[in-house]
Amino acid sequence: QVQLVESGGGLVQAGGSLRLSCALSGRSSTNYVLGWFRRPPGKEREFVVLISFSGASTDYSDSVKGRFTVSRDNAKNTVDLQMNSLKPDDTAVYYCAAGTVYSDDPSKYTYWGQGTQVTVSS
């Protein structure tokens, strides 16, 4: 029903910035909650940030709070993740996801993008 495609990943030096984008498509009229998750090398997928349909509510993981900013544009069907002050520990495959529950639990999200690699060098 919903497809998500991430873009914007790449290689940056520690302290640098990167902006990820996720484009949504599909015919569903559901007011989806959108989230960003990531899978660091050798680790389980972890929560990064989520944003409500209206954009009024956001929640960030402690590890990215103050450095990352999420935004969405429902008219353009996009959600972006601005990542600043990047650290080597931010290296991961980043995924955007859509769900119907405002939750940081990845199991609550129904639709997932293919992921985009972010590598932060030291």
Side-chain angles (χ1 to χ4, degrees), residues 38-93:
R38 67 187 185 186
R39 185 184 292 276
K43 296 184 178 181
E44 298 294 318
R45 192 180 323 220
E46 65 185 31
F47 165 75
V48 177
V49 63
L50 71 152
I51 184 169
S52 63
F53 175 76
S54 69
S57 298
T58 59
D59 280 278
Y60 296 85
S61 69
D62 290 339
S63 62
V64 307
K65 194 173 301 180
R67 300 186 297 118
F68 291 11
T69 303
V70 68
S71 61
R72 67 188 294 174
D73 187 334
N74 291 336
K76 298 180 179 179
N77 293 317
T78 58
V79 57
D80 292 351
L81 182 64
Q82 179 65 46
M83 306 185 296
N84 298 325
S85 301
L86 284 163
K87 306 174 181 179
D89 285 349
D90 295 319
T91 295
V93 178

Side-chain angles (χ1 to χ4, degrees), residues 12-56:
V12 298
Q13 293 185 336
S17 298
L18 204 61
R19 188 176 184 89
L20 305 182
S21 295
C22 179
L24 287 74
S25 63
R27 294 177 58 84
S28 175
S29 61
T30 301
N31 296 342
Y32 285 113
V33 172
L34 298 177
W36 286 94
F37 299 82
R38 67 187 185 186
R39 185 184 292 276
K43 296 184 178 181
E44 298 294 318
R45 192 180 323 220
E46 65 185 31
F47 165 75
V48 177
V49 63
L50 71 152
I51 184 169
S52 63
F53 175 76
S54 69

